[in-house]
Amino acid sequence: MTQKMRTGMVISGALLLVAVAAWIYQLQEGLILTNMQNSYSWGLYISGLAFFVGNAAGGLVLTSSIYLFGVKKLKPLARLGALTAFANVTAAMLIVLPDIGKPVRLYNMLLHPNWMSPLVWDVIVLNLYAVAAAVYLYILMLPELTGRLGWLAIRVNDPHAFSERWARRIAPVALLFAIGIHVVTAWIFSTQGARDWWFSPVMAPDFVSVAIAVGTTVVLLAAALAYGTGEQYQEAYRTLGLIIFMATCVHLFLMANDLVIHAWYGNTETHRIMEIAWGDFGLAHLFEVAAPLLGAWLLTRPQVLGSLPRLLTGSALLIAGVFVHRFLIMPASYNNIPMTLTPFGLPGNHWSLPIASGRLLPGTGTFLDHYAYFPSLVEITILLGIMAYAVFLVLLAIARLPILARENR
Amino acid sequence: MKMGMVIDLEKCIGCRSCMVACKQHNAQPPQTWWNRVFTPGSHRHLTPPAKGVEFFLPVHCQHCENAPCEKVCPVEATYKAEDGAVLIDYERCIGCRYCMSSCPYGVRQFNWEDPEKAHARSEYQEKYHYGYPEEHRHQGRLVYSPLRPKGIVEKCTFCAQYRDRGELPACVRGCPGKARFVGDLDDPDSDVSRMITSRNAFTLLPEKGTKPTVFYLPPKAKEV
Ligand code: SF4
Ligand code: SF4
């Protein structure tokens, strides 16, 4: 283990512990410690779910490229892809826990699952994907589980051939679950007919494209940190950069396509959505478009892929842009009250029925039709802690397991 | 039997008696209101948005037949009683708040903290408790308790605790304008069914496809 890795583990481990403490505090006091209220009932945690689910796509991109499309040069990165996928999909499940009012009752999901609920579907696919990523990682590591790690290995005649054969067999199944997590997570939002901002068939394909962009960036970032930016990796990095750029363009196209159609027709709901997305959150919206585009473009440049600081900048821009994109899932929905009508005798008037906040909010009334949500310190701490968890897990696995190519351990 | 409610907007005087009766009888925590009465078009209640435009709109759970809240609930905590009322099992709800997002009418309310703490925070008199004092079970499931568990969602039950004894919901009894009616929508001769067909009843947000069982009778045109 290098000194840098040790430092990384200490910092991420400490952050994780702080987040656990924050969650215990929140368990005691209730979700009053967040800045959500009744009219704005999901916030940073559920944005975090969408964010981590997207990050988990790296495994999918690599396995399908290698085993379905035969891009052999990516093979050295396959384990890193499976590992980041596992870390992020488990992070996605963890970030839901602090959002749940009564987490001790989660067993009800097993006892009384409602098969109509997309949340139940999501829990199922997230778990399946986590298992698939773990099994896949294990199969890929199998030939090198020797010596100190020998006890972990199942006994097979020719581990290399076995690993190759099973990786090829698992790849299509894993791919199915992988696409499933993005589609079903999107459905949680896009099935809600109450919310015009979400109720769009484009959301699921868009989630897939965002995920391919950001998940691949996560793998590229991890690979550059682990292996550096030497000549022997440039070919693989260029392939990843191209995938990232194309997926980002598809994402921006899908987003713009949706907005143009609605804006062209110009109904009131769309006007209200636009006011929020481009009015209240104009700068954030600009960032969610410009940062990933710039980041993705940088990651196609050989000069950028060949220099660690530049590669880090490009990846950071893209990941930050996608994070803001995930944050912006909420405001245009919650600040757009579905119960809006045109009162008798007032055509042209669109009046929204205010919602009772459910908690004392000093400085505002009880009934709200607009709420400037910004996450509380507890929410931010817990989210950072879950990010730290993913980093910690990746570092720990790299330190203990044959994740990297032999000469880099 | 399919429970239904009719609210006559011609008779509603916007006094908010139903809102207060509902709040009190159902022991709702501070800042929680299952039932809201507002003046459409106006930011101030009881202040007409324009001359002659004067009507009020009470909104609570619409006990939808195609209820999105019921469909999204991952643990079937939100369920439909045999008469069509949509209820929440306080012992089953995990507090994911999925239902709150999915309800178009904004009627679902979360318990962000322990109700006792909420009382203290809002400076209620110590040990002062209002509302129906006992827990109530419907088909064995806890659908009302005077002190709510922290971290669950609640909403209008059509006053399950009273209806199960053959009494009317608190809002119906508390309305001085006698603007509210409940009855059987399956029976074409019931008062509610006849009012619906003869008085041009409408539902809120019909375009959302939720099929509410709460109907509104439009106010009459005013003399100019
Ligand atoms: S009004 Fe809302 S809470 Fe009531 S049944 Fe309909 S969707 Fe559910
Ligand atoms: S908050 Fe409770 S009632 Fe609402 S969907 Fe979740 S478990 Fe069901």
Side-chain angles (χ1 to χ4, degrees), chain B residues 12-90:
Chain B
C12 173
I13 56 171
C15 65
R16 288 183 163 170
S17 298
C18 57
M19 193 166 155
V20 175
C22 170
K23 169 112 185 171
Q24 297 281 327
H25 277 263
N26 290 296
Q28 288 155 35
Q31 288 88 37
T32 291
W33 294 86
W34 291 358
N35 180 14
R36 293 159 292 160
V37 183
F38 277 93
T39 308
S42 178
H43 289 297
R44 275 219 175 85
H45 184 50
L46 295 179
T47 308
K51 201 166 177 303
V53 179
E54 213 169 311
F55 74 98
F56 314 102
L57 186 72
V59 178
H60 41 72
C61 175
Q62 307 287 301
H63 295 277
C64 309
E65 264 181 73
N66 180 24
C69 59
E70 183 194 4
K71 282 201 284 194
V72 300
C73 178
V75 293
E76 292 181 338
T78 293
Y79 70 105
K80 219 169 254 138
E82 63 298 334
D83 60 0
V86 175
L87 301 175
I88 304 170
D89 183 337
Y90 287 4

Side-chain angles (χ1 to χ4, degrees), chain A residues 67 139 156 158-170:
Chain A
Y67 292 99
I139 300 271
V156 290
D158 179 355
H160 279 280
F162 180 88
S163 165
E164 187 63 29
R165 190 165 64 243
W166 279 94
R168 196 172 292 282
R169 281 185 192 162
I170 295 175

Side-chain angles (χ1 to χ4, degrees), chain B residues 2-12 18 57-63 158 168-169 171-173 175 177-187 190-203 212-219:
Chain B
K2 188 165 91 195
M3 258 282 296
M5 181 177 273
V6 166
I7 303 174
D8 187 345
L9 298 185
E10 177 60 25
K11 287 187 178 163
C12 173
C18 57
L57 186 72
V59 178
H60 41 72
C61 175
Q62 307 287 301
H63 295 277
F158 262 162
L168 291 170
C171 59
V172 177
R173 285 185 284 154
C175 175
K178 291 211 167 26
R180 290 171 171 271
F181 307 87
V182 284
D184 185 1
L185 296 175
D186 280 341
D187 173 5
S190 67
D191 285 350
V192 286
S193 297
R194 277 189 295 135
M195 278 188 269
I196 289 167
T197 39
S198 65
R199 293 269 319 270
N200 294 338
F202 66 95
T203 55
T213 57
V214 174
F215 293 82
Y216 293 83
L217 305 181

Side-chain angles (χ1 to χ4, degrees), chain A residues 249-333:
Chain A
C249 290
V250 172
H251 155 56
L252 294 175
F253 162 69
L254 289 176
M255 195 159 81
N257 175 54
D258 209 32
L259 286 178
V260 167
I261 290 174
H262 285 101
W264 184 89
Y265 194 73
N267 60 10
T268 335
E269 288 78 31
T270 319
H271 280 309
R272 283 187 289 145
I273 288 173
M274 299 287 182
E275 272 166 29
I276 297 163
W278 288 340
D280 303 5
F281 288 89
L283 281 179
H285 181 69
L286 198 67
F287 187 78
E288 78 163 326
V289 173
L293 194 59
L294 181 61
W297 178 75
L298 285 175
L299 294 178
T300 57
R301 309 273 92 196
Q303 312 90 294
V304 173
L305 294 173
S307 130
L308 190 59
R310 288 186 206 155
L311 191 151
L312 294 186
T313 311
S315 319
L317 268 174
L318 191 135
I319 296 174
V322 168
F323 182 79
V324 170
H325 174 67
R326 296 315 201 190
F327 184 81
L328 291 178
I329 292 178
M330 308 300 172
S333 237

Side-chain angles (χ1 to χ4, degrees), chain A residues 156-293:
Chain A
V156 290
N157 281 338
D158 179 355
H160 279 280
F162 180 88
S163 165
E164 187 63 29
R165 190 165 64 243
W166 279 94
R168 196 172 292 282
R169 281 185 192 162
I170 295 175
V173 185
L175 186 64
L176 208 67
F177 298 153
I179 294 180
I181 61 173
H182 309 297
V183 169
V184 177
T185 306
W187 281 349
I188 291 181
F189 303 102
S190 66
T191 49
Q192 296 191 32
R195 309 273 171 188
D196 295 304
W197 175 240
W198 294 341
F199 193 47
S200 159
V202 103
M203 206 157 185
D206 189 38
F207 261 56
V208 175
S209 60
V210 177
I212 291 177
V214 71
T216 310
T217 307
V218 168
V219 179
L220 176 60
L221 180 69
L225 287 172
Y227 293 125
T229 51
E231 196 44 55
Q232 68 274 41
Y233 301 108
Q234 285 304 312
E235 214 191 334
Y237 290 0
R238 274 200 295 278
T239 310
L240 295 184
L242 204 62
I243 296 176
I244 294 168
F245 185 70
M246 290 191 304
T248 307
C249 290
V250 172
H251 155 56
L252 294 175
F253 162 69
L254 289 176
M255 195 159 81
N257 175 54
D258 209 32
L259 286 178
V260 167
I261 290 174
H262 285 101
W264 184 89
Y265 194 73
N267 60 10
T268 335
E269 288 78 31
T270 319
H271 280 309
R272 283 187 289 145
I273 288 173
M274 299 287 182
E275 272 166 29
I276 297 163
W278 288 340
D280 303 5
F281 288 89
L283 281 179
H285 181 69
L286 198 67
F287 187 78
E288 78 163 326
V289 173
L293 194 59

Side-chain angles (χ1 to χ4, degrees), chain B residues 111-130:
Chain B
N111 285 280
W112 298 93
E113 67 183 326
D114 195 73
E116 298 274 29
K117 283 192 188 157
H119 285 181
R121 194 185 294 272
S122 287
E123 299 177 1
Y124 280 26
Q125 195 181 318
E126 231 183 296
K127 302 224 172 67
Y128 166 62
H129 289 119
Y130 46 89

